[in-house]
Amino acid sequence: MRRLSRKKALSLVRELDAFPKVPESYVETSTSGGTVSLLAFSAMALLAFLEFFVYRDTWMKYEYAVDKDFSSKLKINIDITVAMKCQHVGADILDLAETMITSNGLQYEPAIFDLTPQQRLWQRTLILIQSRLREEHALQEVLYKTLLKGGPTALPPREDASMEPLTACRIHGHVYVNKVAGNLHITVGKPIHHPQGHAHIAAFVSHDSYNFSHRIDHLSFGEEIPGIINPLDGTEKITSNNNQMYQYFITVVPTKLNTYKISAETHQFSVTERERVINHAAGSHGVSGIFVKYDTSSLMVTVSEQHMPLWQFLVRLCGIVGGIFSTTGKYAPWACWLPF
C-alpha cells in the first residue's frame, strides 16, 4: 500500500512538471542551430564581462541635511601672492559678529611674482582642469573617488635661486574663524586693533606702490584633502591700475566625504567674482585691495561612495543568461535538451 501511494505521489508530481524533457532520439542538430548557439554563448560571455566591470565600478551618493554644528571653528587655508612688498600689505578677517581675527596664523614671505616655466606649466594645467570641471561636473566624482595625490594641487618650488628682486609677498597659512559670515581683507598697511572697529595703517605707503595684481595658489575651507581642486586655485589677476578692488563672494557648504580611500569632514564652496576701479569722483567708492567675503550654508552635504552588492550582481548575471536562453531557445536545438 505504501509503495502504491508513493507511486501515486510521484506520478502526481510528474504531471505537475512544467518543463517536460524531449527524448534525445527526437533531437536533431543542424548547422544553423550551431551558429545560433555560438552567437548566444558569445553574447553571454561579452555581456557577463561588461557586467563584471559595472559591478567593480562605484558611484557617489549625495545626501543633504541641516547643519546643526554652529559652535565649532572653521579653518581657512590661504596661499595668495600679491605683487606688493610684504611691509606694504596686511591681511586680517572681520566676521559678522564684529570679531576681528588676527593674522597670527598667516606668514608673510617675500617672493617673486612672475612664475618660472615649470610653475607656469603647473598653473596652465590647473586652469585647464578648472575649466573642464565647470563643463563636466562628473569629473568631480572622479576626483572624489581617486584623490589623485599626483595632481597639481601645490605650486612647485622654483627650479633655481633667482637674482630677481623680491617685490611680491606670499601670504600663506591657515586661520580659525567662527562659523558665521566674514570678510578676509588683503589691503594696504598692517591691520590694527582698536575698540571703534577695523583699520589699516596706510599713511606711510606711497600710492604709486599700490599694485593688487595677485595669484591665488590655494584657497580652501576645512580639512585639506589631497587631490581636491578648489574653484579659486590657480586664479591670477593682473592690473595696471593702482586703485583696483577685487571681490570674491563665497558660499561655503559643509561636506562629509566617505570613500573607500578616505573619510573626512571638509567644505566645498562656490564663488562669484567682481572687480572695479576705485574712483571717488565717478561715484565708485571703496578701498583698493582683495576682499574675500564668505558665508556658510545651513545645509550639509554627505558624499558617500556606493558599490553594487554581490547579490544584485548575481541577479543581473542570471537575467543576462536567462534572457539570452529565452530569446534563442526556439532557434537553437540545444535548448530542447538543456536541463532546467
Side-chain angles (χ1 to χ4, degrees):
M1 294 296 293
R2 291 181 179 178
R3 289 183 178 179
L4 291 175
S5 60
R6 185 178 179 183
K7 287 182 179 180
K8 289 182 180 180
L10 292 176
S11 177
L12 180 60
V13 172
R14 190 178 297 109
E15 291 178 0
L16 295 175
D17 186 6
F19 308 98
K21 308 302 183 292
V22 178
E24 292 186 8
S25 58
Y26 295 163
V27 176
E28 180 181 355
T29 59
S30 64
T31 305
S32 60
T35 303
V36 174
S37 302
L38 183 61
L39 293 175
F41 282 122
S42 300
M44 287 181 201
L46 178 61
L47 293 178
F49 183 73
L50 296 177
E51 190 66 27
F52 177 72
F53 280 96
V54 174
Y55 169 70
R56 290 187 57 188
D57 193 19
T58 59
W59 65 91
M60 307 308 294
K61 179 181 180 183
Y62 296 85
E63 298 176 307
Y64 302 90
V66 177
D67 183 19
K68 300 179 181 179
D69 182 15
F70 296 102
S71 59
S72 63
K73 295 290 185 177
L74 177 63
K75 181 182 178 182
I76 305 180
N77 309 293
I78 303 169
D79 191 349
I80 301 176
T81 301
V82 185
M84 291 180 65
K85 293 184 178 181
C86 290
Q87 61 265 32
H88 294 164
V89 295
D92 65 332
I93 297 176
L94 187 68
D95 64 20
L96 193 63
E98 298 298 328
T99 302
M100 184 175 176
I101 311 298
T102 60
S103 56
N104 294 334
L106 299 179
Q107 301 178 24
Y108 296 80
E109 179 183 337
I112 301 173
F113 188 77
D114 294 331
L115 299 176
T116 64
Q118 180 185 358
Q119 292 175 326
R120 183 64 64 182
L121 178 61
W122 170 88
Q123 187 192 39
R124 289 175 181 172
T125 304
L126 191 58
I127 293 175
L128 177 60
I129 295 175
Q130 293 279 26
S131 62
R132 294 298 299 274
L133 283 172
R134 284 190 288 268
E135 297 173 0
E136 303 288 343
H137 299 288
L139 291 178
Q140 185 64 56
E141 295 191 3
V142 176
L143 294 178
Y144 280 148
K145 290 191 288 186
T146 57
L147 295 177
L148 301 173
K149 294 188 178 181
T153 56
L155 180 68
R158 304 185 74 88
E159 297 88 353
D160 52 6
S162 176
M163 301 303 294
E164 297 182 30
L166 304 178
T167 58
C169 183
R170 180 189 173 205
I171 304 173
H172 61 97
H174 61 267
V175 292
Y176 291 90
V177 300
N178 300 318
K179 292 184 69 173
V180 295
N183 194 342
L184 166 65
H185 308 81
I186 299 178
T187 187
V188 178
K190 300 299 180 181
I192 59 173
H193 303 276
H194 62 88
Q196 299 300 323
H198 163 259
H200 287 251
I201 303 177
F204 304 103
V205 181
S206 171
H207 185 268
D208 295 334
S209 64
Y210 286 20
N211 185 359
F212 286 102
S213 299
H214 63 280
R215 183 178 61 254
I216 302 177
D217 295 323
H218 181 77
L219 180 65
S220 65
F221 296 82
E223 181 181 348
E224 293 187 69
I225 301 178
I228 297 300
I229 299 177
N230 298 281
L232 286 176
D233 292 355
T235 300
E236 186 178 54
K237 301 291 185 180
I238 305 296
T239 180
S240 58
N241 195 300
N242 297 337
N243 295 322
Q244 193 76 16
M245 170 193 277
Y246 295 96
Q247 294 175 302
Y248 299 95
F249 301 92
I250 291 177
T251 301
V252 184
V253 181
T255 303
K256 290 184 178 180
L257 183 61
N258 298 312
T259 69
Y260 291 107
K261 292 190 176 182
I262 193 172
S263 179
E265 293 188 7
T266 183
H267 294 74
Q268 303 178 86
F269 67 89
S270 60
V271 59
T272 302
E273 304 176 18
R274 183 188 178 192
E275 60 182 82
R276 60 187 175 94
V277 176
I278 303 301
N279 188 345
H280 298 289
S284 178
H285 303 291
V287 178
S288 304
I290 305 166
F291 301 89
V292 180
K293 298 183 179 182
Y294 62 89
D295 194 4
T296 56
S297 173
S298 59
L299 291 179
M300 179 180 62
V301 181
T302 301
V303 184
S304 305
E305 187 175 5
Q306 301 292 313
H307 186 273
M308 181 188 298
L310 179 61
W311 66 266
Q312 186 176 351
F313 168 69
L314 295 176
V315 169
R316 291 166 65 99
L317 204 60
C318 291
I320 291 173
V321 176
I324 294 178
F325 268 123
S326 301
T327 304
T328 61
K330 57 182 178 179
Y331 299 107
W334 45 261
C336 299
W337 52 265
L338 275 172
F340 290 89

